[in-house]
Amino acid sequence: MQFLLHHTVITQAIANNDHKTLKQCQDKNSAGWVLSNSLAAIHSDLSKSMKIDAAHSALKDALQGIAMASLPGIEILNTPPSSKMDYLDSLAVRTVEVFKLNGIITLKPEVFAASGIRALQPDELPQVLKDDLANVKKVPLLNIPATYPQIWNNVEQEMSDVVRSGYFILGPKVAELEKQVAAYCQVPYAVGVSSGTDALLLALMAADIGPGDEVITSTYTFFATAGSIVRTGAKPVFVDIDPVTFNMDIEQTEAAITPQTKAIMPVHLYGQCVDMTPLQDLAKKHKLWVIEDACQAIGSEFKGQRAGGLGDFGCFSFFPTKNLGGFGDAGMVTTRSMELYEKMKVLRVHGMEPKYYHKMVGGNFRIDALQAAVILAKLPHLERWVNDRRTNAQRYHTLFQQAGLTGRLTLPKEVFPRHVYNQYIIRVSDGKRDKLREYLNGQNVACEVYYPVPLHLQECFKDLGHKQGDFPEAEKAAAETLALPVANEVTAEQQEYAVEKAKSFFS
Ligand SMILES: Cc1ncc(COP(=O)(O)O)c(C=O)c1O
């Protein structure tokens, strides 16, 4: 739940040196907001009883971990005053409404009685939170705004920096993000791009892949993997998957190599790395590029090495649903090669170097500086979110085992630690997957199928000449897999509810 902390609650907490309620509001399940427009009022209240410097540092300390909601000037002007309440209280009501908060924590709930928002006393909060957690009615697949309290202050700061600087195309925020993502992925270089799709396309272009070339990849992945290969004029050569990891089968990869093969594009699907050692050996033996589609796998590891540093190029997506998502489209390519890094930077801006001189044909693959700002603000939280996802995955394992459902469905296996669970995928056999999905959706448990049709059976690839039965494991996975909510904001109680509903489906 998310609450606005009325300014008097903050003043009292500081005056009494009792930060219990503020501490409770720093939890991911009970986040607190303060109306930034009320900070001046708190400051002047505190200054009545303490020195101004002491008041200022006490306020800063008290607000650690509390998100600040700023009501824009236009919202303030559009908030009518009420004869029944102070104007700052009217603004508080408006804030609860526009930020879609669950209510306000206040010393005087009666003031808000007629406002239509929920108002609680600080000492009511623990019970309200307990009841809310216990009373699960809905499990969404994702709840992106649930993480806003953790990131809001930094996101606002970073975005304001960009807007105020007027530097919207590449520039210092993009350079900083590239540096930080490269360090996170344990590689020396990273190039910010406009999406995960463009990351793949840019990597293929930097590897000079084009008409007449073949690129081997998995048939069981998101469309962009193969779509980007086709856009260079090259041919995607599909291979089947390993049924446990859902990732490309290495023996089939070797068998698919021809004199035209220029690259292998392993996809670390759902957040678990492909078995990279034999794949790297194959690439070395046949002198092939390795272009990792790590769009779902930022932070995942293979033998202690991060995705993105396991091939020549690592391609990432910051689509909002990814473990590290922007507020729109964005992506990144990582590499260990300075030469490829320099080439990609030129290809990203139409192959232009110096200005208005073009030795190569590239594209506009630039990352938006505002997206870079958002992702920069979120990056320091990524490790915690990954750990939350891993904890949630482990909890599902335990719950499904306790529910006696492991004979009815197959749980995902972490074969190559560490899996970052962009998706938690169960398998449901005997043609029951779609019925279970329908049942869970009907019980307000969101779940999704990634992906219902393998790429070799997509209409746009019919010229490749594939038919049903060519890649049986991928076809089986497409009929059996189901993604359950596993994101960092999903609570233990929501997972218990989801498993309980799955149990009632099977009983
Ligand atoms: C495996 C895979 N490859 C590529 C992409 C493309 O990324 P984007 O949506 O950022 O273009 C995605 C994103 O969904 C993906 O999951």
Side-chain angles (χ1 to χ4, degrees):
M1 297 185 94
Q2 298 189 22
F3 290 98
L4 187 69
L5 288 152
H6 192 255
H7 59 93
T8 53
V9 172
I10 293 164
T11 314
Q12 193 192 51
I14 296 171
N16 295 351
N17 199 17
D18 176 2
H19 291 212
K20 191 168 77 234
T21 304
L22 301 188
K23 286 255 160 356
Q24 273 164 1
C25 287
Q26 291 167 8
D27 187 87
K28 74 171 183 180
N29 297 325
S30 57
W33 293 77
V34 59
L35 175 58
S36 68
N37 313 67
S38 71
L39 294 182
I42 303 174
H43 213 282
S44 78
D45 264 4
L46 291 173
S47 311
K48 286 176 196 153
S49 56
M50 49 173 94
K51 283 203 173 121
I52 194 159
D53 288 351
H56 188 73
S57 55
L59 182 57
K60 264 179 87 175
D61 281 354
L63 295 185
Q64 291 281 332
I66 305 283
M68 279 178 270
S70 303
L71 213 47
I74 200 77
E75 287 281 0
I76 296 176
L77 288 180
N78 287 336
T79 304
S82 154
S83 55
K84 298 203 181 69
M85 58 170 73
D86 190 271
Y87 193 52
L88 209 42
D89 291 341
S90 297
L91 296 183
V93 173
R94 186 81 191 119
T95 307
V96 169
E97 289 166 353
V98 297
F99 278 75
K100 297 188 170 51
L101 305 181
N102 298 92
I104 187 163
I105 301 173
T106 169
L107 302 178
K108 292 192 173 155
E110 63 280 5
V111 170
F112 296 91
S115 69
I117 67 166
R118 185 172 187 186
L120 342 157
Q121 291 268 8
D123 57 6
E124 289 177 86
L125 182 63
Q127 192 57 44
V128 168
L129 291 173
K130 221 167 139 191
D131 292 348
D132 177 69
L133 280 174
N135 192 16
V136 178
K137 294 200 189 77
K138 198 172 173 189
V139 192
L141 205 52
L142 273 172
N143 179 2
I144 291 172
T147 51
Y148 287 174
Q150 300 166 39
I151 61 168
W152 193 265
N153 296 344
N154 290 343
V155 166
E156 231 182 29
Q157 175 80 55
E158 294 285 356
M159 287 181 80
S160 306
D161 278 357
V162 171
V163 175
R164 288 196 198 107
S165 74
Y167 212 143
F168 294 110
I169 302 297
L170 302 178
K173 287 289 175 210
V174 170
E176 183 57 30
L177 179 69
E178 290 172 340
K179 199 171 120 201
Q180 291 195 23
V181 170
Y184 183 82
C185 295
Q186 303 167 342
V187 296
Y189 307 107
V191 181
V193 292
S194 29
S195 66
T197 306
D198 284 343
L200 294 166
L201 187 56
L202 178 62
L204 287 158
M205 288 171 79
D208 287 323
I209 285 166
D213 296 336
E214 294 178 358
V215 179
I216 304 172
T217 193
S218 169
T219 183
Y220 190 62
T221 172
F222 179 61
F223 178 81
T225 313
S228 57
I229 298 169
V230 173
R231 283 174 64 195
T232 64
K235 178 181 166 189
V237 174
F238 294 123
V239 294
D240 208 349
I241 54 166
D242 172 280
V244 177
T245 61
F246 303 104
N247 284 333
M248 66 197 295
D249 180 297
I250 305 299
E251 276 179 25
Q252 290 195 26
T253 303
E254 180 160 25
I257 295 173
T258 72
Q260 282 72 46
T261 308
K262 286 279 153 49
I264 308 175
M265 193 180 271
V267 186
H268 307 314
L269 201 70
Y270 305 140
Q272 173 160 236
C273 283
V274 171
D275 187 2
M276 289 303 287
T277 305
L279 192 139
Q280 286 160 338
D281 291 347
L282 271 186
K284 206 163 167 191
K285 186 168 150 202
H286 296 273
K287 298 195 169 46
L288 306 174
W289 296 104
V290 175
I291 302 174
E292 293 174 75
D293 182 339
C295 284
Q296 299 182 7
I298 191 159
S300 76
E301 290 172 14
F302 180 81
K303 296 185 180 165
Q305 255 190 325
R306 291 253 161 104
L310 301 165
D312 300 291
F313 304 88
C315 302
F316 294 92
S317 165
F318 300 125
F319 188 74
T321 61
K322 299 295 192 256
N323 291 14
L324 179 64
F327 286 179
D329 280 311
M332 189 74 70
V333 188
T334 52
T335 184
R336 294 184 183 281
S337 155
M338 187 161 79
E339 202 183 320
L340 294 175
Y341 166 67
E342 296 294 351
K343 190 171 180 187
M344 285 193 286
K345 280 203 299 179
V346 177
L347 283 168
R348 171 172 70 174
V349 288
H350 297 289
M352 182 165 71
E353 173 73 29
K355 209 169 184 186
Y356 303 128
Y357 288 81
H358 302 259
K359 288 196 195 82
M360 304 177 266
V361 176
N364 174 0
F365 300 132
R366 294 180 301 243
I367 186 172
D368 188 317
L370 276 169
Q371 294 308 329
V374 172
I375 299 157
L376 256 183
K378 292 175 84 174
L379 187 55
H381 300 271
L382 181 59
E383 275 303 283
R384 184 161 36 83
W385 292 337
V386 166
N387 287 330
D388 286 349
R389 283 174 181 268
R390 290 177 54 77
T391 303
N392 286 350
Q394 192 49 51
R395 187 177 294 116
Y396 270 136
H397 273 54
T398 310
L399 289 169
F400 277 120
Q401 266 158 7
Q402 284 168 350
L405 289 180
T406 46
R408 306 287 192 119
L409 35 86
T410 310
L411 306 180
K413 263 210 184 94
E414 182 178 37
V415 179
F416 301 113
R418 87 181 166 165
H419 195 324
V420 293
Y421 293 99
N422 181 241
Q423 304 295 347
Y424 182 89
I425 301 291
I426 57 169
R427 286 183 89 124
V428 193
S429 54
D430 304 329
K432 288 208 174 98
R433 192 269 313 271
D434 291 338
K435 286 197 183 76
L436 174 61
R437 180 191 185 191
E438 209 175 294
Y439 179 81
L440 290 177
N441 285 340
Q443 301 290 321
N444 288 322
V445 177
C447 48
E448 196 48 88
V449 173
Y450 305 108
Y451 299 92
V453 183
L455 296 186
H456 67 282
L457 298 177
Q458 294 288 350
E459 198 181 330
C460 65
F461 294 142
K462 66 173 182 288
D463 290 353
L464 295 173
H466 289 296
K467 58 180 186 323
Q468 191 87 32
D470 279 0
F471 301 114
E473 290 300 347
E475 291 166 24
K476 202 161 168 240
E480 294 185 352
T481 52
L482 191 63
L484 299 181
V486 74
N488 39 292
E489 70 272 6
V490 175
T491 64
E493 291 78 3
Q494 287 176 323
Q495 291 186 274
E496 282 161 19
Y497 180 83
V499 173
E500 187 190 304
K501 295 299 168 193
K503 189 173 178 186
S504 58
F505 171 80
F506 284 108
S507 55

